[in-house]
Amino acid sequence: MAVWIQAQQLQGDALHQMQSLYGHHFPIEVRHYLSQWIEGQLWDTVDLENPQEEFKAKRLLDSLIQELQKKAEHQMGEDGFLLKIKLGHYASQLKSTYDRCPLELVRCIKHILYTEQRLVKEASNSCSPLGGMVDSMSQKYQQINQAFEELRILTQDTENDLRKLQHSQEYFIIQYQEKSLRIQAQLTSLSTLPPADRQLREPSLLSKRATVEAWLTREANTLQKYRLGLAEKHQKTLALLRKQQTVILDDELIQWKRRQQLAGNGGPPEGGLDILQSWCEKLAETIWQNRQQIRRAEHLRQQLPIPGAIEELLNDLNSTITDIISALVTSTFIIEKQPPQVLKTQTKFAATVRLLVGGKLNVHMNPPQVKATITSEQQAKALLKNENTRNDSSGEILNNNCVMEYHQTTGTLSAHFRNMSLKRIKRSDRRGAESVTEEKFTILFESQFSVGGNELVFQVKTLSLPVVVIVHGSQDNNATATVLWDNAFAEPGRVPFVVPDKVLWPQLCEALNMKYKAEVQSNRGLSEENLVFLAQKAFSSSSNSPEEFHSMTMTWSQFNRESLPGRNFTFWQWFDGVMELTKKHLKPHWNDGAILGFVNKQQAQDMLMSKPNGTFLLRFSDSEIGGITIAWVAENPNKAGERMVWNLMPYTTKDFSIRSLADRISDLNHLLFLYPDRPKDEVFSKYYTPPLSKAVDGYVKPQIKQVVPEFATPNPDPAANPTYMDHAASPAVSHPQSYGMYQPMSDSMLDADGDFDLDDTMDVARHVEELLRRPMENQWSGQQS
């Protein structure tokens, strides 16, 4: 059974691969309920290519069907009835499918077992960090499954005791009616007899009555002991049930929710809910069986009241089991797919809620409706305190009602909100420097349903992760910062939506790295050197020691409320700009390691001055949000024999929408080696735009080529350093286009820190755009179209 236990712990794509192994040809329920038997058979001894092995395969098929039928027969209780029918159906289905070709059954099961073993082995590879995690998960899951087995045995034991009690009580009642009542009737009839006859018969009847009453007293005491013993066993079962439920709901489900929250920051997927649902369904099944047993025990007590403590015990048991099932149902009403955490008004959005025990409790027999409303942080606090907030409103959501649907194939009960839209939002009064992008809301999902033929009615509700409402795309950047901070640093069980105002720098680094890798969709995250650069920027420090920043804390204000020194943007706004630029235009180069990125101007100069002329590197602009610049080392044209580092004016998304980074680097023949010593074409040539095709129908396509005037000299050795423009099929623009460039010193556009002033930079960028268009218009204006 070990393989099946571990197979159930697979996550993500591996879990989907495992699930895809099953279907009508071999139901997953058969694998689950006969896991030990299936793994105990010698499937490999059957030679699938030998038709004579069909007899051996037929025996395995017959044994499989017998095991299924046996399993079906042993199902007890109300819910067991449905499983009994289902397993019986599978037995008939498998017999019908494979009776004429039993070797195909063997082939199917061998493939399933082989694939499961492979998937489990890959997941638990000891060389990967996942290996230790899978091992610990396997141990934890084994403990959970062992507890379920113990609960099953306890529940079966109390079921047997309950039947014995019922039989004993029925026998007691029969004996009481047949003996005690008959003797009493005979004694009553003596009053009609003559005194002599009465005196003759009365002693004998009185003796018999005393004997019967003594026996009845003993039996009544025995019944009472049975009842007390059964109640004590139920107490033990309920204690174990509470413990198991705590592990599943307070540990596993809370951890799943935490993973879901971190996934909002780009963390690994939270994983499927299938295992959690199977556990919750087992809990529901076991709880319901015990609840029915307690109700039957109460019914037996009412049939035959015997003075004692049993009535109070049964009342306590009934109250406890109701609390347990109530906690299970209300806790398993969860949000499977969260609404977007940055929510723009008048924009469609979706969400999915799910009841993990809905199928097991037959809630879908009367499908409940779920309603979604948006509530403020204060309203969310009041909800958790069970305060009445029904008349409060924080906005209006269109299409906010949805009926829960039961999906037979997956056994899930869920409501899919596909076309919700936030029509309007009501904001609260903000405090101090807090902006609208720091105000948190939440989507409240609520429903009502009954179980057990309206025996129990539940009001359920669940809150989404915090949502920041925006009305314009320009607010997205700051809203994302609020969400990132909340997802990263929220504590379990917090008061909505309290987060620390300051965190240790290493904690923030972990969150930034997670977000960066997810946004850029890259396995190459932020290195220790990158994080030191970010710390220097965040804390205005010149230290190069990572250890110096480990104990430092960063406040929310430093993160995204206060501008960086000498800038008009915050730390987060700068970092987010880098992510956006990299995600949209630089992803392949970042993955290739071609972009150092997180290097300041002085560091770039120190690195390049020790390298040959023409060596260059790519770094993110300090002065502009979402900008990247090229720094290279070359001769100083104003001073013979002196070398200096040049910095090209930063490129932004707008520039790369005109011409890609690789093509721009290809255009600049004075760039020869990517730092430290890689020929640029070796790094970038695979990203160059292919040469233009020859003229068609008399038309020649114009080209845009980047030129830096001070370095606009032809490549002295085109064969050695081929570029895109050198091999263009159509003529290049004859008049070189100017492109802004700045030197590290004495430039009118530089600010006090030696960086560009943003407004001046934008003016130059607009001027460059005009220059980029002008040569083409001059070049081709004489040609008639």
Side-chain angles (χ1 to χ4, degrees), residues 419-484:
N419 295 297
M420 287 191 289
S421 176
L422 182 58
K423 184 178 179 181
R424 62 178 181 82
I425 189 68
K426 177 183 175 184
R427 298 191 182 275
S428 59
D429 294 331
R430 292 181 296 282
R431 304 176 298 274
E434 187 179 274
S435 68
V436 295
T437 55
E438 293 180 36
E439 186 177 5
K440 300 174 192 174
F441 296 88
T442 180
I443 308 295
L444 166 68
F445 295 94
E446 51 189 339
S447 183
Q448 175 182 305
F449 48 80
S450 60
V451 298
N454 292 326
E455 285 182 30
L456 298 172
V457 178
F458 295 99
Q459 301 278 349
V460 294
K461 58 187 69 174
T462 186
L463 297 173
S464 75
L465 293 173
V467 167
V468 178
V469 176
I470 64 173
V471 296
H472 192 274
S474 61
Q475 298 172 310
D476 184 83
N477 175 289
N478 292 324
T480 301
T482 301
V483 167
L484 175 84

Coordinates of all heavy atoms in Angstrom, one line a residue, residues 419-484:
N419 N -18.6 35.7 -14.2 CA -18.8 37.1 -14.8 C -19.2 38.1 -13.7 O -20.0 39.0 -14.0 CB -19.9 37.0 -15.9 CG -19.5 36.1 -17.0 OD1 -18.5 36.4 -17.7 ND2 -20.2 35.1 -17.2
M420 N -18.5 38.1 -12.6 CA -18.7 39.2 -11.6 C -18.1 40.5 -12.1 O -17.1 40.4 -12.8 CB -18.2 38.8 -10.2 CG -19.0 37.7 -9.6 SD -18.6 37.5 -7.8 CE -17.0 36.6 -8.0
S421 N -18.6 41.6 -11.6 CA -18.1 42.9 -11.9 C -18.4 43.8 -10.8 O -19.5 43.9 -10.3 CB -18.6 43.4 -13.2 OG -18.2 44.7 -13.5
L422 N -17.4 44.5 -10.3 CA -17.6 45.5 -9.2 C -18.0 46.8 -9.8 O -17.3 47.5 -10.5 CB -16.2 45.7 -8.5 CG -16.3 46.6 -7.3 CD1 -17.3 46.2 -6.2 CD2 -14.9 46.8 -6.6
K423 N -19.3 47.1 -9.6 CA -19.9 48.3 -10.2 C -19.5 49.6 -9.5 O -19.2 50.6 -10.2 CB -21.5 48.2 -10.2 CG -22.2 49.3 -10.9 CD -23.7 49.1 -10.9 CE -24.4 50.2 -11.6 NZ -25.9 50.0 -11.6
R424 N -19.5 49.5 -8.2 CA -19.1 50.7 -7.5 C -18.4 50.3 -6.2 O -18.6 49.1 -5.7 CB -20.3 51.6 -7.2 CG -21.3 51.0 -6.4 CD -22.5 51.9 -6.1 NE -23.5 51.3 -5.2 CZ -23.4 51.2 -3.9 NH1 -22.4 51.7 -3.3 NH2 -24.4 50.6 -3.2
I425 N -17.7 51.2 -5.5 CA -17.0 50.9 -4.3 C -17.2 52.1 -3.3 O -17.2 53.2 -3.7 CB -15.5 50.6 -4.5 CG1 -14.9 50.1 -3.2 CG2 -14.8 51.8 -5.0 CD1 -15.4 48.7 -2.8
K426 N -17.5 51.7 -2.1 CA -17.6 52.8 -1.0 C -16.4 52.7 -0.1 O -16.2 51.7 0.6 CB -18.9 52.5 -0.2 CG -19.2 53.4 0.9 CD -20.4 53.0 1.7 CE -20.6 53.9 2.9 NZ -21.8 53.4 3.7
R427 N -15.6 53.8 -0.1 CA -14.4 53.8 0.6 C -14.6 54.4 2.0 O -15.5 55.2 2.2 CB -13.3 54.5 -0.1 CG -13.0 53.9 -1.5 CD -11.7 54.6 -2.1 NE -11.4 54.0 -3.4 CZ -10.7 52.9 -3.6 NH1 -10.3 52.2 -2.6 NH2 -10.5 52.5 -4.8
S428 N -13.7 54.0 2.9 CA -13.8 54.5 4.3 C -12.9 55.7 4.4 O -12.1 56.0 3.4 CB -13.4 53.5 5.3 OG -12.1 53.0 5.0
D429 N -13.0 56.5 5.4 CA -12.1 57.6 5.7 C -10.7 57.1 5.9 O -10.5 56.2 6.8 CB -12.5 58.4 6.8 CG -13.9 59.1 6.6 OD1 -14.1 59.4 5.4 OD2 -14.6 59.3 7.5
R430 N -9.7 57.5 5.1 CA -8.3 57.0 5.3 C -7.6 57.8 6.3 O -7.9 58.9 6.6 CB -7.6 57.1 3.9 CG -8.2 56.1 2.9 CD -7.5 56.2 1.6 NE -7.6 57.5 1.0 CZ -8.7 57.9 0.3 NH1 -9.7 57.1 0.2 NH2 -8.7 59.1 -0.2
R431 N -6.6 57.1 6.9 CA -5.8 57.7 8.0 C -4.5 58.2 7.5 O -3.7 57.5 6.8 CB -5.6 56.6 9.0 CG -6.8 55.9 9.6 CD -6.5 54.8 10.6 NE -5.7 53.8 10.0 CZ -6.3 52.7 9.3 NH1 -7.6 52.7 9.2 NH2 -5.6 51.8 8.8
G432 N -4.2 59.4 7.9 CA -2.8 60.0 7.6 C -2.4 59.9 6.2 O -3.1 60.3 5.2
A433 N -1.2 59.2 6.0 CA -0.6 59.2 4.6 C -1.2 58.0 3.8 O -0.8 57.8 2.7 CB 0.9 59.0 4.8
E434 N -2.1 57.2 4.4 CA -2.7 56.1 3.6 C -3.4 56.5 2.4 O -4.2 57.4 2.4 CB -3.6 55.3 4.6 CG -4.1 54.0 4.0 CD -5.0 53.3 4.9 OE1 -4.5 52.5 5.8 OE2 -6.2 53.4 4.8
S435 N -3.1 55.8 1.3 CA -3.8 56.1 0.0 C -4.8 55.1 -0.3 O -5.0 54.1 0.4 CB -2.7 56.1 -1.1 OG -2.2 54.8 -1.3
V436 N -5.6 55.4 -1.4 CA -6.6 54.4 -1.7 C -6.1 53.1 -2.1 O -6.8 52.0 -1.9 CB -7.5 55.0 -2.9 CG1 -8.2 56.2 -2.6 CG2 -6.6 55.2 -4.2
T437 N -4.8 53.0 -2.5 CA -4.2 51.7 -2.9 C -3.7 51.0 -1.7 O -3.1 49.9 -1.8 CB -3.1 51.9 -3.9 OG1 -2.1 52.9 -3.3 CG2 -3.6 52.5 -5.2
E438 N -3.9 51.5 -0.5 CA -3.5 50.8 0.7 C -4.8 50.3 1.5 O -4.7 49.6 2.5 CB -2.7 51.7 1.7 CG -1.3 52.1 1.1 CD -0.5 53.0 2.0 OE1 -0.6 52.8 3.3 OE2 0.2 53.9 1.5
E439 N -5.9 50.7 1.0 CA -7.2 50.3 1.6 C -7.5 48.9 1.2 O -7.6 48.6 0.0 CB -8.3 51.2 1.3 CG -9.6 51.0 2.0 CD -10.7 52.0 1.7 OE1 -10.5 52.8 0.8 OE2 -11.8 51.9 2.3
K440 N -7.8 48.0 2.2 CA -8.1 46.6 1.8 C -9.6 46.3 2.0 O -10.2 46.7 3.0 CB -7.3 45.7 2.8 CG -5.8 45.9 2.7 CD -5.0 45.0 3.7 CE -3.6 45.4 3.8 NZ -2.9 44.7 5.0
F441 N -10.1 45.5 1.1 CA -11.4 45.0 1.1 C -11.3 43.4 1.1 O -10.2 42.9 1.0 CB -12.3 45.5 0.0 CG -12.5 47.0 0.0 CD1 -11.6 47.8 -0.6 CD2 -13.6 47.5 0.6 CE1 -11.8 49.2 -0.6 CE2 -13.8 48.9 0.6 CZ -12.9 49.7 0.0
T442 N -12.5 42.8 1.1 CA -12.5 41.3 0.9 C -13.8 41.0 0.3 O -14.8 41.6 0.5 CB -12.3 40.6 2.3 OG1 -12.3 39.2 2.0 CG2 -13.4 40.9 3.3
I443 N -13.8 39.9 -0.5 CA -15.1 39.4 -1.0 C -15.6 38.3 0.0 O -14.9 37.3 0.2 CB -14.9 38.7 -2.4 CG1 -14.2 39.7 -3.3 CG2 -16.2 38.3 -3.0 CD1 -14.9 41.0 -3.7
L444 N -16.8 38.5 0.4 CA -17.5 37.6 1.4 C -18.4 36.7 0.6 O -19.2 37.1 -0.2 CB -18.3 38.4 2.4 CG -19.3 37.5 3.2 CD1 -18.6 36.6 4.2 CD2 -20.2 38.5 4.0
F445 N -18.2 35.4 0.7 CA -19.0 34.4 0.1 C -19.8 33.7 1.2 O -19.2 33.3 2.2 CB -18.2 33.3 -0.7 CG -17.5 33.9 -1.8 CD1 -16.1 34.3 -1.7 CD2 -18.1 34.0 -3.1 CE1 -15.4 34.8 -2.8 CE2 -17.4 34.5 -4.2 CZ -16.0 34.9 -4.0
E446 N -21.1 33.6 1.0 CA -22.0 33.0 2.1 C -23.1 32.2 1.5 O -23.5 32.5 0.4 CB -22.5 34.1 3.0 CG -23.2 35.2 2.4 CD -23.5 36.4 3.3 OE1 -23.6 36.1 4.6 OE2 -23.7 37.5 2.9
S447 N -23.5 31.2 2.2 CA -24.6 30.3 1.8 C -25.2 29.6 3.0 O -24.8 29.8 4.1 CB -23.9 29.2 0.8 OG -24.9 28.4 0.3
Q448 N -26.3 28.9 2.7 CA -27.0 28.1 3.7 C -27.4 26.8 3.1 O -27.9 26.7 2.0 CB -28.2 28.9 4.2 CG -29.1 28.1 5.2 CD -30.3 28.8 5.6 OE1 -30.3 30.0 6.1 NE2 -31.5 28.2 5.4
F449 N -27.2 25.7 3.8 CA -27.7 24.4 3.4 C -27.9 23.5 4.6 O -27.5 23.8 5.7 CB -26.7 23.8 2.4 CG -25.3 23.8 2.9 CD1 -24.8 22.9 3.7 CD2 -24.4 24.8 2.4 CE1 -23.5 22.9 4.2 CE2 -23.1 24.8 2.8 CZ -22.6 23.8 3.7
S450 N -28.6 22.4 4.3 CA -29.0 21.5 5.3 C -28.4 20.1 5.0 O -28.2 19.8 3.8 CB -30.5 21.4 5.5 OG -31.1 21.0 4.3
V451 N -28.2 19.3 6.0 CA -27.8 17.9 5.8 C -28.7 17.0 6.7 O -29.3 17.4 7.6 CB -26.3 17.7 6.3 CG1 -25.4 18.6 5.4 CG2 -26.1 18.1 7.7
G452 N -28.7 15.7 6.2 CA -29.4 14.8 7.0 C -30.9 15.0 7.0 O -31.6 14.9 8.0
G453 N -31.5 15.4 5.8 CA -32.9 15.6 5.7 C -33.4 16.7 6.6 O -34.3 16.6 7.4
N454 N -32.6 17.8 6.5 CA -32.9 19.1 7.3 C -32.7 18.9 8.8 O -33.2 19.7 9.6 CB -34.3 19.6 7.1 CG -34.5 20.1 5.7 OD1 -33.6 20.7 5.1 ND2 -35.7 19.9 5.1
E455 N -32.0 17.8 9.2 CA -31.7 17.6 10.6 C -30.8 18.8 11.1 O -31.0 19.3 12.2 CB -30.9 16.3 10.9 CG -31.8 15.1 10.8 CD -31.0 13.8 11.1 OE1 -30.0 13.9 11.9 OE2 -31.3 12.8 10.5
L456 N -29.8 19.1 10.3 CA -28.9 20.2 10.7 C -28.9 21.3 9.5 O -28.8 20.9 8.4 CB -27.5 19.7 10.9 CG -27.3 18.7 12.0 CD1 -25.9 18.1 12.0 CD2 -27.6 19.3 13.4
V457 N -29.0 22.5 9.9 CA -29.0 23.6 8.9 C -27.7 24.5 9.2 O -27.5 24.9 10.4 CB -30.2 24.5 9.0 CG1 -30.2 25.6 8.0 CG2 -31.5 23.6 8.7
F458 N -26.9 24.7 8.2 CA -25.7 25.5 8.4 C -25.7 26.8 7.6 O -26.1 26.8 6.5 CB -24.5 24.6 7.9 CG -24.3 23.4 8.7 CD1 -24.7 22.2 8.2 CD2 -23.6 23.4 9.9 CE1 -24.5 21.0 8.9 CE2 -23.4 22.3 10.7 CZ -23.9 21.1 10.2
Q459 N -25.3 27.8 8.3 CA -25.0 29.1 7.7 C -23.5 29.2 7.5 O -22.7 29.1 8.5 CB -25.5 30.3 8.6 CG -26.9 30.3 8.9 CD -27.8 30.9 7.8 OE1 -27.2 31.5 6.9 NE2 -29.1 30.8 7.9
V460 N -23.0 29.2 6.3 CA -21.6 29.2 6.1 C -21.1 30.4 5.4 O -21.9 31.0 4.6 CB -21.1 27.9 5.2 CG1 -21.4 26.7 6.0 CG2 -21.9 27.9 3.9
K461 N -19.9 30.9 5.7 CA -19.3 32.1 5.0 C -17.8 31.9 5.0 O -17.2 31.3 5.9 CB -19.8 33.3 5.7 CG -19.4 33.4 7.2 CD -20.0 34.6 7.9 CE -21.5 34.5 8.0 NZ -22.1 35.6 8.8
T462 N -17.2 32.5 4.1 CA -15.8 32.5 4.0 C -15.3 33.8 3.3 O -16.0 34.4 2.4 CB -15.2 31.3 3.2 OG1 -13.8 31.3 3.2 CG2 -15.7 31.3 1.7
L463 N -14.1 34.3 3.7 CA -13.6 35.6 3.2 C -12.5 35.3 2.3 O -11.6 34.5 2.5 CB -13.1 36.5 4.4 CG -14.1 36.9 5.4 CD1 -13.4 37.6 6.6 CD2 -15.1 37.9 4.8
S464 N -12.4 36.1 1.2 CA -11.3 36.0 0.3 C -10.1 36.6 0.9 O -10.1 37.3 1.9 CB -11.6 36.7 -1.0 OG -11.6 38.1 -0.9
L465 N -8.9 36.4 0.2 CA -7.7 37.2 0.6 C -8.0 38.7 0.4 O -8.9 39.0 -0.4 CB -6.6 36.7 -0.4 CG -6.1 35.3 -0.2 CD1 -5.0 34.9 -1.2 CD2 -5.5 35.1 1.2
P466 N -7.2 39.5 1.0 CA -7.5 41.0 0.9 C -7.4 41.4 -0.6 O -6.6 40.9 -1.4 CB -6.3 41.6 1.7 CG -5.9 40.5 2.7 CD -6.1 39.2 2.0
V467 N -8.3 42.3 -0.9 CA -8.5 42.9 -2.2 C -8.3 44.4 -2.2 O -8.8 45.0 -1.3 CB -9.9 42.5 -2.8 CG1 -10.2 43.3 -4.0 CG2 -10.0 41.0 -3.1
V468 N -7.5 44.9 -3.1 CA -7.3 46.4 -3.2 C -8.1 46.8 -4.5 O -7.8 46.3 -5.6 CB -5.8 46.8 -3.3 CG1 -5.7 48.3 -3.5 CG2 -5.1 46.3 -2.1
V469 N -9.0 47.7 -4.3 CA -9.8 48.2 -5.4 C -9.2 49.4 -6.1 O -8.9 50.4 -5.4 CB -11.2 48.5 -4.9 CG1 -12.1 49.0 -6.1 CG2 -11.9 47.3 -4.3
I470 N -9.1 49.3 -7.4 CA -8.5 50.5 -8.2 C -9.6 50.9 -9.2 O -10.4 50.1 -9.6 CB -7.2 50.2 -8.8 CG1 -7.3 49.0 -9.9 CG2 -6.1 49.8 -7.8 CD1 -6.0 48.8 -10.7
V471 N -9.4 52.1 -9.7 CA -10.3 52.6 -10.8 C -9.6 52.9 -12.1 O -10.2 53.2 -13.1 CB -11.1 53.8 -10.3 CG1 -12.0 53.5 -9.2 CG2 -10.2 55.0 -9.9
H472 N -8.2 52.8 -12.0 CA -7.4 53.2 -13.2 C -6.1 52.3 -13.1 O -5.6 52.0 -12.1 CB -7.1 54.7 -13.2 CG -6.5 55.1 -14.5 ND1 -5.2 55.1 -14.8 CD2 -7.1 55.7 -15.6 CE1 -5.0 55.5 -16.0 NE2 -6.1 55.9 -16.5
G473 N -5.7 52.0 -14.3 CA -4.5 51.1 -14.4 C -3.2 51.8 -13.8 O -2.3 51.0 -13.4
S474 N -3.2 53.1 -13.7 CA -2.0 53.8 -13.1 C -1.9 53.4 -11.6 O -0.8 53.6 -11.0 CB -2.2 55.3 -13.3 OG -3.3 55.8 -12.6
Q475 N -3.0 52.9 -11.0 CA -2.9 52.6 -9.6 C -2.5 51.2 -9.3 O -2.2 50.8 -8.2 CB -4.3 52.8 -8.9 CG -4.9 54.2 -9.0 CD -6.3 54.2 -8.5 OE1 -7.2 53.5 -9.0 NE2 -6.6 55.1 -7.6
D476 N -2.3 50.4 -10.4 CA -2.0 49.0 -10.2 C -0.7 48.8 -9.5 O -0.5 47.9 -8.7 CB -1.9 48.4 -11.6 CG -1.7 46.9 -11.6 OD1 -2.7 46.1 -11.4 OD2 -0.5 46.4 -11.7
N477 N 0.3 49.6 -9.8 CA 1.7 49.4 -9.2 C 1.6 49.5 -7.7 O 2.1 48.6 -7.0 CB 2.6 50.5 -9.8 CG 4.0 50.5 -9.2 OD1 4.1 50.9 -8.0 ND2 5.0 50.1 -9.9
N478 N 1.0 50.5 -7.2 CA 0.9 50.7 -5.7 C 0.0 49.7 -5.1 O 0.2 49.2 -3.9 CB 0.5 52.1 -5.4 CG 1.5 53.2 -5.8 OD1 2.7 52.9 -5.7 ND2 1.1 54.3 -6.3
A479 N -1.1 49.3 -5.7 CA -2.0 48.3 -5.2 C -1.3 47.0 -5.1 O -1.5 46.2 -4.1 CB -3.2 48.2 -6.1
T480 N -0.5 46.6 -6.1 CA 0.3 45.4 -6.0 C 1.3 45.4 -4.9 O 1.5 44.3 -4.3 CB 1.1 45.2 -7.4 OG1 0.2 45.2 -8.5 CG2 1.9 43.9 -7.4
A481 N 1.8 46.5 -4.5 CA 2.7 46.6 -3.4 C 2.0 46.2 -2.1 O 2.5 45.5 -1.2 CB 3.3 48.0 -3.2
T482 N 0.8 46.7 -1.9 CA -0.1 46.4 -0.7 C -0.4 45.0 -0.7 O -0.3 44.3 0.4 CB -1.4 47.2 -0.8 OG1 -1.1 48.6 -0.9 CG2 -2.3 47.0 0.4
V483 N -0.7 44.4 -1.8 CA -1.0 42.9 -1.8 C 0.2 42.1 -1.5 O 0.2 41.1 -0.8 CB -1.6 42.6 -3.2 CG1 -1.7 41.1 -3.4 CG2 -3.0 43.2 -3.3
L484 N 1.3 42.5 -2.1 CA 2.6 41.7 -1.9 C 2.9 41.7 -0.4 O 3.3 40.7 0.1 CB 3.7 42.4 -2.7 CG 5.1 41.8 -2.5 CD1 5.3 40.6 -3.4 CD2 6.2 42.8 -2.8

